[in-house]
Amino acid sequence: MTITKFLPGKSNGKLQTQSVSYQSPSNIALIKYWGKHGLQIPKNPSISFTLNNCRTTTILNWEERTNHKEDYELKVILDGKHKPGFEPKIHQFFGRVVEYLPFVRDYAFTIDTTNSFPHSSGIASSASGFSALALCLMEMERELNPQMSQKTFDQKASFIARLGSGSGCRSLKGPLVVWGEHPEIKGSSDIYGVSYPYAVHEVFDNYQDAILLVDQGEKQVSSTVGHNLMHNHAYAPSRFNQAIENLSSLIPVLENGDLDQFVNIVESEALTLHAMMLTSNPYFILMKPNTLKIIEELWQYRRETKIPVCFTLDAGANVHVLFPQNNREDVQDFVKSELSSYCQDNRYIFDNVGDGALKL
Ligand code: PMV
C-alpha cells in the first residue's frame, strides 16, 4: 500500500553535501508490540521509554554512482570493519523506501556505524540503527526538498525507520513514544511513532533502567519469526485487545504517578509477551533460568524494601529493571551486589530515559 502523504516532493536536483551523521537511542517498551501485518504494521499499539546511553552512531557518506549493476550500491562498516553480512538487510530496506526516497538509487552509500553498547551484548541494535539511518536519509531528502516542514520531517523519518525495524520508529524522539493507533491517544498512528501527547508525572522524569545482560548470545528465535507466529495464534485476538486496554489504563497512571499500578501493568505486559511465545506453535522460550531468578529476587527486594522497582523484558533473556530516579542509589547497589551474579560475565548497563536522536 502506498502512503501518498510521504511520496517525495519536487526535488531541487543534486545534493551539494556528501555526508551526514546521527546518533539514535534504543528504546524499551512498556506496552509491547508483538504481531504485525503487511509491511511492519502493528497488530496493537505500543508505548516505550526512549533510552539515553544505549545508542547507535551512524555516519552516512555518499557519492554519485558510476556502477549501476545492482539496484543499490552500499557498503556497511560496523566498528571500523566492513561487514558484508549486514548489506542484504539494507538492500531490502532500500527496496522498501525507494518509493518515498527515490534518490537512494542515485548514490553509492557507505554506512559507517558504531554502537555505544557492547557488541553482541544481546541488546538489539536494529531499532537504534534504523532510526539513525532513517534520519540521515531524511537529511538528504530535506536538502532536496527544503520546503518540507519539521512535522513532515519527523513523521516521515519515523515512517522510514519503521520500514527497517518496527520498534525503530519509536527511537527518534523521547522520553515516551507511542506507535500504533489507539482510540484515546490523539495523533497516534500505525505508520509512525509520535511523542506521547499527555501529562506525565514528575516521578517518571529521568526514570532509570538497569539492563541486566543475562544472555549475550544470538537469539534462537528472531523477532521476525516470533511476530509471524502471532498469525493464527489461539490467544492473539485477546492479546491485541489487552494491549489496547493496558495502554488505556496507563494513561491516568502516567499522569498521577501511581507506581503500584505502573509496576502491575509493566510486569504483566512483559510476562504476557513471553506467554505469547510459550503458547505459539511451534512454541519457544527466550527466558533463561537466570531471567526467572532475577525476577524472584526483584520481587523479594520490592516486598522487603517497598521500593517501587519493576522489571520488563524484550524478546530475549535480558531483564530491564525500571525504577524512579530517587531510588537510584539503593537499586543500583542491589543490582551490583545481588543481581549482577545472574548476568553473563557479571555484565549490566545503567541507563535512563532520554530525549531521542541527535544530529551530530
Ligand atoms: O521491532 P522488532 O520487530 O524487533 O520487535 C520488537 C518487539 C519487542 O521488543 C518484543 C516489543 C517492543 O514493542 O519493542
Side-chain angles (χ1 to χ4, degrees), residues 27 29 31-34 36 40 46 126 165-168 170 223-224 227 273 277 313-315:
N27 68 73
I31 305 290
K32 307 291 181 180
Y33 146 62
W34 197 244
K36 60 180 171 181
Q40 321 262 71
S46 57
S126 59
S165 151
S167 60
R170 298 189 312 238
S223 296
T224 311
H227 284 292
L273 168 70
M277 301 173 190
L313 307 167
D314 56 17

Side-chain angles (χ1 to χ4, degrees), residues 32 121 214 257 280 326:
K32 307 291 181 180
S121 59
V214 173
S280 292
N326 63 6

Side-chain angles (χ1 to χ4, degrees), residues 84-112:
F86 286 96
E87 288 165 6
K89 205 163 177 199
I90 309 292
H91 273 274
Q92 184 193 42
F93 172 62
F94 275 21
R96 290 179 182 178
V97 306
V98 65
E99 193 177 359
Y100 305 99
L101 303 171
F103 59 82
V104 294
R105 249 194 239 110
D106 303 334
Y107 296 89
F109 293 91
T110 306
I111 302 159
D112 197 335

Side-chain angles (χ1 to χ4, degrees), residues 139-154:
E139 282 302 335
M140 298 176 75
E141 161 88 339
R142 174 142 63 188
E143 187 179 334
L144 294 168
N145 297 295
Q147 71 287 358
M148 176 172 31
S149 69
Q150 187 61 42
K151 185 173 170 198
T152 303
F153 178 96
D154 290 343

Side-chain angles (χ1 to χ4, degrees), residues 45 68 72 80 84 152 158 166 168 171 241 258 285 294 302 311 330 355:
H68 285 264
Y72 312 106
T152 303
S158 176
S171 264
N241 282 332
D258 180 343
I285 305 178
I294 289 169
R302 188 167 72 214
F311 73 86
D330 286 336
D355 290 329

Side-chain angles (χ1 to χ4, degrees), residues 18-164:
Q18 289 190 309
S19 176
V20 67
S21 178
Y22 264 92
Q23 203 177 66
S24 278
S26 188
N27 68 73
I28 180 68
L30 305 173
I31 305 290
K32 307 291 181 180
Y33 146 62
W34 197 244
K36 60 180 171 181
H37 61 104
L39 258 190
Q40 321 262 71
I41 302 295
K43 287 289 221 168
N44 65 259
S46 57
I47 185 168
S48 50
F49 272 142
T50 305
L51 296 182
N52 191 38
N53 300 333
C54 292
R55 288 175 174 268
T56 297
T57 302
T58 296
I59 305 168
L60 185 66
N61 294 298
W62 59 88
E63 52 189 43
E64 270 190 69
R65 277 180 88 175
T66 47
N67 162 3
H68 285 264
K69 271 192 271 172
E70 285 193 81
D71 285 347
Y72 312 106
E73 200 178 333
L74 59 93
K75 190 171 174 182
V76 175
I77 316 268
L78 177 65
D79 296 328
K81 289 199 192 99
H82 183 202
K83 294 277 179 183
F86 286 96
E87 288 165 6
K89 205 163 177 199
I90 309 292
H91 273 274
Q92 184 193 42
F93 172 62
F94 275 21
R96 290 179 182 178
V97 306
V98 65
E99 193 177 359
Y100 305 99
L101 303 171
F103 59 82
V104 294
R105 249 194 239 110
D106 303 334
Y107 296 89
F109 293 91
T110 306
I111 302 159
D112 197 335
T113 182
T114 50
N115 294 321
S116 66
F117 39 91
H119 187 54
S120 73
S121 59
I123 300 185
S125 56
S126 59
S128 49
F130 277 108
S131 162
L133 180 57
L135 284 160
C136 289
L137 292 170
M138 283 304 296
E139 282 302 335
M140 298 176 75
E141 161 88 339
R142 174 142 63 188
E143 187 179 334
L144 294 168
N145 297 295
Q147 71 287 358
M148 176 172 31
S149 69
Q150 187 61 42
K151 185 173 170 198
T152 303
F153 178 96
D154 290 343
Q155 289 182 348
K156 185 166 171 180
S158 176
F159 168 84
I160 296 290
R162 191 198 92 238
L163 295 174

